[in-house]
Amino acid sequence: MAEPKAEPFPAEGLPLQEARARVLAALRPHPPIETLPLAACLGRVVAQSVLASEAVPGFRAAILDGYAVADAMPPKPGRRWRVVGHCAAGTPYPQLMGEGEAVRILTGAPLPEGAARVLAQEQVEVQGASLLLAEAVGPEPWIRAADEEAAPGQVLVEAGQRLGPADLGRLAGCGVAMLPVAARPRIGLLITGDELVSAGADRGPGEIWESNGTLLEALFARLGYPLAQRLQVADQPERLAAAFDQLAAGCDLVVSTGGVSAGDSDWIRPLLAERGTVAFWKLFLRPGRPFAFGSLAGLPFFGLPGNPVAAAITALQLVLPALQALEGGDAVGLRRLRVRLAAPLRRRPGRPELARARLAFADDGLPLALLEGSQASSRIGSLQGAELLLELPAEAATLEAGTELWAQLLLLPLF
Ligand code: AMP
Ligand code: MG
């Protein structure tokens, strides 16, 4: 990455938009490219545009089961044809069809040469070798064009595009088996805190069960980024420095949680300043005020807060777009929509807030945000089932029911 500029920033913290812009500006994506079979490419960013080598399906095909005929215009009821043959998917009719002839055809079969339309089998009567049109037919010829899916040279996926099931399906359907994709950035996660014990272990007075490791590992996995390494270290500068080095040696970015405020056991920022660069510290955000971004051994370093909700939210706001950019894809982050508050809201003004909410729908079908329980940054329960991050303006103290606000959608694209 480029050495991030340590520009001055407001004492109350950097607004999120600006923080995101600074993070992205500091990145220099040059991901290694690997060529993988389609099945391994789900969620990956394709490194080069892929073009169709030939037309797909490549032949005119029947859209329904029935009879192919050569009539250029829709035939009238009472018209008769002589049934001369049969074709099915994978088994073409080998001859040229003539006027007055009909060929039995099944869905997906190539249209015989000379055929102009397919008559649905429900609309005709078979009388021995003769076919009779029993009812009026519309103008639709029920033929799939030879280049319906792709014309030769058509772009199937563009360089930088993230591949979903539909992209992979279309590529398979166009005969593409292998793809050049960007390697996933390797995330090194560092958990710090003297008070932390692992779930399942007994805890002493004042100790808490560690949750950020599990929460973030699962969140990154959900986003398509399995962790490369995870370390847990007490608030001791020598141990933390060794962990910094270990993660920087084997990863493409380092993410820490905890120890990034200004307390006596908060070593992340001073250590980052000593061993790398701090580009900015503190966000103008709730939750997520203690946050450091900088570079460590030329790699992006994200010092996330210790409170679990703040760690998860800042990971989504700042680490996710960075991961996307490091793969050479668009840093799209989360999509936003306008929603209305389902109930009035009172809050402590002063900082912009990302409140966890559920998505509901009013009687008229318009989206509503439903907030339940405490929004404390330590309460992971506020993330359970959350579908929206509601963007509350810094100065708002009371918000009426029905107030329209922006919300980030906590749902991933499917296709
Ligand atoms: P810190 O920023 O280190 O002062 O942490 C802020 C709060 O988050 C403290 O209450 C910590 O106990 C808590 N915390 C820090 N790290 C973790 C973690 N890995 N799991 C759960 N809670 C944590
Ligand atoms: Mg701590």
Side-chain angles (χ1 to χ4, degrees):
M1 71 184 274
E3 205 44 47
K5 288 198 208 97
E7 290 162 16
F9 55 88
E12 74 271 24
L14 206 58
L16 193 50
Q17 294 267 52
E18 207 178 313
R20 195 179 292 131
R22 286 219 210 165
V23 167
L24 293 176
L27 303 177
R28 293 286 175 276
H30 48 85
I33 305 304
E34 40 199 14
T35 299
L36 299 178
L38 284 187
C41 294
L42 182 63
R44 296 295 199 96
V45 169
V46 65
Q48 289 158 21
S49 296
V50 181
L51 312 185
S53 59
E54 52 189 88
V56 174
F59 51 85
R60 295 184 309 154
I63 293 176
L64 38 73
D65 297 327
Y67 291 84
V69 294
D71 300 50
M73 299 300 290
K76 299 266 182 312
R79 168 124 165 88
R80 284 181 183 277
W81 298 266
R82 194 161 45 87
V83 180
V84 295
H86 177 276
C87 61
T91 313
Y93 177 71
Q95 277 143 263
L96 176 69
M97 273 189 69
E99 203 55 43
E101 291 181 344
V103 169
R104 173 72 171 140
I105 193 163
L106 301 176
T107 302
L111 225 68
E113 215 186 317
R117 64 185 56 252
V118 177
L119 304 171
Q121 62 191 23
E122 296 77 16
Q123 297 186 306
V124 294
E125 281 170 25
V126 185
Q127 299 170 339
S130 170
L131 187 73
L132 169 73
L133 183 61
E135 51 185 85
V137 294
E140 167 72 50
W142 303 109
I143 299 169
R144 190 179 166 206
D147 61 356
E148 182 195 70
E149 190 61 74
Q154 193 175 334
V155 177
L156 299 173
V157 290
E158 280 192 58
Q161 199 175 316
R162 192 170 298 279
L163 299 162
D167 300 307
L168 299 180
R170 186 168 182 224
L171 288 162
C174 291
V176 178
M178 305 285 289
L179 282 181
V181 293
R184 289 288 201 201
R186 292 165 302 171
I187 307 172
L189 181 62
L190 172 60
I191 306 293
T192 166
D194 286 339
E195 73 282 30
L196 306 173
V197 297
S198 298
D202 292 336
R203 59 174 180 167
E207 291 182 336
I208 63 168
W209 283 299
E210 198 282 311
S211 58
N212 288 349
T214 300
L215 175 62
L216 291 175
E217 180 160 356
L219 180 61
F220 285 129
R222 175 78 102 200
L223 296 168
Y225 302 96
L227 284 190
Q229 280 192 63
R230 173 171 149 186
L231 297 177
Q232 188 179 326
V233 176
D235 294 313
Q236 292 172 16
E238 305 75 31
R239 298 223 189 150
L240 284 167
F244 273 34
D245 293 346
Q246 185 180 333
L247 294 176
C251 298
D252 300 304
L253 69 160
V254 178
V255 178
S256 68
T257 82
V260 75
S261 295
D264 297 345
S265 7
D266 293 336
W267 294 105
I268 294 295
R269 186 177 51 105
L271 276 177
L272 184 60
E274 182 190 295
R275 311 179 80 77
T277 315
V278 179
F280 63 86
W281 179 53
K282 289 197 285 188
L283 296 173
F284 186 46
L285 182 66
R286 182 193 304 150
R289 178 186 163 101
F291 182 97
F293 173 71
S295 82
L296 174 70
L299 306 178
F301 184 102
F302 298 82
L304 310 188
N307 271 312
V309 179
I313 286 182
T314 51
L316 281 176
Q317 302 302 310
L318 295 172
V319 186
L320 172 60
L323 289 165
Q324 293 172 330
L326 286 170
E327 285 179 290
D330 287 337
V332 286
L334 301 171
R335 301 221 280 171
R336 294 161 85 229
L337 74 162
R338 298 289 281 176
V339 298
R340 291 187 167 78
L341 278 181
L345 184 67
R346 287 176 63 85
R347 66 185 285 275
R348 184 160 38 94
R351 307 182 76 76
E353 187 168 351
L354 290 173
R356 284 73 71 204
R358 281 179 186 264
L359 177 63
F361 296 95
D363 291 342
D364 59 6
L366 293 176
L368 291 177
L370 220 62
L371 283 81
E372 281 161 7
S374 149
Q375 291 283 329
S377 67
S378 48
R379 191 175 77 91
I380 307 176
S382 73
L383 284 174
Q384 279 182 291
E387 292 161 306
L388 299 174
L389 285 179
L390 196 56
E391 299 182 358
L392 303 177
E395 293 320 318
T398 37
L399 291 155
E400 304 295 322
T403 305
E404 201 179 298
L405 295 160
W406 281 110
Q408 301 178 11
L409 195 56
L410 296 174
L411 296 173
L412 296 173
L414 266 184
F415 284 115

